[in-house]
Amino acid sequence: GAGGEAVRIRLSAGSFFVLHAEVQARAAIRSGDELPGERVEQLVAESELVFARQKALSLLARAPQTRRGLARKLWARGFSDAAVRAAVARAAELGYLDDAAFAESWIRSRLAGRAEGFKALSRGLMQRGVPREAAERAVTAPPAHAARPPPAR
């Protein structure tokens, strides 16, 4: 990965696997160490969690995300269900994921650009991963400083 965070571990049989440098350092793996297959699997799984968490933070640094939208992007990059769930949960725990805040921001930007009806706004939010209830709340109670959308046609 970028910034030297990935470490390639070569096995005596000539094969290799990749670990996150943080996991390799914590495990204190050195040249010549014996690594049983179960230990390799455990280290690779730990590394995937770290890589998924980093990718989630990278995506969030570029643009606000919904829980479902972030999960989709992580799955699309090949992360396992367990790694995706853990990364999304950690981002939410840190306060980086907030579907309601995403919905409000998205509606504000849509209203600034063009007038859309409630149904179009609600449908757009749900397509971006905002749960139906949160989308309906956001559409029926837009920020006070935003213009109200016209009724759907």
Side-chain angles (χ1 to χ4, degrees):
E5 63 209 17
V7 177
R8 183 182 281 198
I9 307 291
R10 290 192 190 281
L11 301 174
S12 59
S15 61
F16 70 91
F17 61 97
V18 176
L19 293 181
H20 190 281
E22 174 184 314
V23 172
Q24 185 266 335
R26 252 194 337 256
I29 298 171
R30 293 186 239 307
S31 182
D33 285 354
E34 258 189 61
L35 293 174
E38 311 83 54
R39 181 69 174 138
V40 169
E41 289 175 19
Q42 177 190 15
L43 292 167
V44 169
E46 286 178 36
S47 288
E48 185 187 25
L49 293 175
V50 175
F51 284 124
R53 186 177 66 229
Q54 285 183 331
K55 179 50 77 176
L57 293 175
S58 171
L59 291 166
L60 286 161
R62 289 186 206 130
Q65 306 286 330
T66 62
R67 284 173 172 77
R68 196 167 89 196
L70 181 60
R72 282 181 188 158
K73 289 177 182 178
L74 293 172
W75 281 317
R77 285 164 174 79
F79 291 106
S80 69
D81 287 347
V84 169
R85 282 193 304 273
V88 170
R90 182 65 176 148
E93 179 184 312
L94 293 171
Y96 298 145
L97 282 174
D98 183 341
D99 289 346
F102 174 91
E104 183 178 320
S105 172
W106 188 81
I107 286 175
R108 209 175 318 117
S109 72
R110 298 297 288 208
L111 290 175
R114 62 184 163 282
E116 291 187 54
F118 290 124
K119 287 183 181 180
L121 290 171
S122 182
R123 189 173 42 254
L125 286 171
M126 289 186 289
Q127 288 171 345
R128 283 158 183 78
V130 175
R132 178 181 300 277
E133 299 77 29
E136 289 172 356
R137 272 194 310 274
V139 169
T140 58
H145 58 279
R148 298 284 298 181
R153 296 178 194 149

